[in-house]
Amino acid sequence: MPTGLTVMRTPGVEAGVLLCRFETQGPETAPIRDEHTRIHRDAFRVVDFYAPDFDAAVQHAREAGFPMATSEASYQLAEGSFREAHHAGDDGVVVALLSGPADFFVDFAEVRDRVVSEPVSISLPLSDAAPTIGWYAEVFGWEVVYTYDFADTSFSELMQVEHELRVRSSTIGPSRQQTYVNIVDYGLAADQGGSLLGQAVAPRRGLLGLVVLTDDLDDVIGRAGGSAGPAETVELAPFGRCRMSVLVPPCATPHLVIERRGEL
């Protein structure tokens, strides 16, 4: 179990980040991703934020000490032109700034009047997407809310690969208006990217898993069956005394489900 949990919520919305601190040190605490595994499948890879003014957001990040570490990508989707830049942070965590048509992001970002939005998505490249997509539908009631498909040299350069990637994505979530999981296929052959299946295990560092909020933990555990761990009760600000359980879907990345209840 972690020795500390810190919730960082985006003001005005539920979306945010849960930081886990572990006191254990040693080989088992190495980052899930590093320069050798940055495009491997079967573990979360990038947290995406919408930047209404892309250039201003990139400059703001640079001045705050978090420069975009790779080249910028510019690519075309059916809805228009998009720009993307990445910051490669500590523990193998990559943050992406995204920008595009403002009317498009009305659906995908609640916060659109600040330097960046709340986290709009977290990318999950998978070797076999179908079992996890089915699990999300069965356990959380999530569906595919958006799909896209493109190939662009600038994106391949952003990802620091020599060959051009063909990006296909199914975005999974409760709706377009809430943070979603971006299940992505980079078009890599089997010998062009390995798998991190089963390696997103505490106390490994990095994008360990996903937090999901629910109003009925017992219902979620019941639908998850054998993929759900036991319910635990903890004190966690800002939720107060709450119940939670760790679920492990077919992609083997942990999902911490927290029940929205102030007291038991």
Side-chain angles (χ1 to χ4, degrees):
M1 290 291 292
T3 59
L5 295 173
T6 302
V7 176
M8 301 180 68
R9 301 177 71 182
T10 305
V13 298
E14 283 190 324
V17 175
L18 177 65
L19 301 179
C20 301
R21 183 173 63 252
F22 300 95
E23 296 300 333
T24 305
Q25 294 184 356
E28 70 274 16
T29 67
I32 299 166
R33 292 188 181 274
D34 57 25
E35 65 272 17
H36 304 294
T37 61
R38 52 188 173 74
I39 60 172
H40 280 26
R41 296 176 285 268
D42 305 314
F44 287 112
R45 186 181 180 278
V46 181
V47 182
D48 300 313
F49 296 82
Y50 167 51
D53 186 331
F54 185 81
D55 293 324
V58 169
Q59 181 64 25
H60 178 82
R62 181 180 297 114
E63 292 174 352
F66 304 101
M68 298 298 105
T70 56
S71 61
E72 175 191 323
S74 179
Y75 48 87
Q76 194 77 19
L77 300 183
E79 294 80 6
S81 298
F82 290 76
R83 298 170 71 185
E84 181 171 344
H86 290 178
H87 171 73
D90 294 338
D91 297 331
V93 176
V94 177
V95 173
L97 299 183
L98 307 175
S99 192
D103 56 350
F104 172 83
F105 281 100
V106 168
D107 262 355
F108 293 96
E110 293 183 76
V111 176
R112 301 185 301 276
D113 58 352
R114 305 174 204 164
V115 177
V116 297
S117 70
E118 77 281 9
V120 296
S121 65
I122 180 169
S123 295
L124 178 60
L126 294 179
S127 300
D128 183 4
T132 297
I133 291 176
W135 186 89
Y136 278 141
E138 176 67 23
V139 177
F140 297 143
W142 293 356
E143 299 178 345
V144 177
V145 297
Y146 178 61
T147 62
Y148 61 86
D149 182 338
F150 75 90
D152 192 281
T153 301
S154 68
F155 187 82
S156 302
E157 293 172 350
L158 175 71
M159 298 287 285
Q160 302 178 57
V161 297
E162 294 181 356
H163 50 281
E164 186 170 273
L165 300 176
R166 174 70 179 275
V167 182
R168 298 179 177 89
S169 174
S170 296
T171 63
I172 312 293
S175 72
R176 288 193 179 196
Q177 288 75 34
Q178 298 182 55
T179 304
Y180 57 82
V181 177
N182 183 19
I183 295 182
V184 62
D185 179 358
Y186 292 124
L188 296 168
D191 60 350
Q192 293 176 322
S195 171
L196 294 171
L197 186 68
Q199 296 188 43
V201 179
R204 296 288 296 274
R205 306 197 314 274
L207 294 178
L208 184 62
L210 185 70
V211 175
V212 180
L213 301 180
T214 182
D215 294 320
D216 191 339
L217 181 64
D218 292 329
D219 181 54
V220 172
I221 290 176
R223 284 185 273 118
S227 64
E232 305 282 350
T233 301
V234 299
E235 289 285 347
L236 180 63
F239 303 104
R241 187 172 174 81
C242 60
R243 300 168 68 231
M244 59 179 62
S245 175
V246 175
L247 280 59
V248 182
C251 60
T253 55
H255 287 52
L256 177 64
V257 181
I258 300 175
E259 192 171 56
R260 296 184 188 93
R261 295 178 64 185
E263 59 184 18
L264 297 178

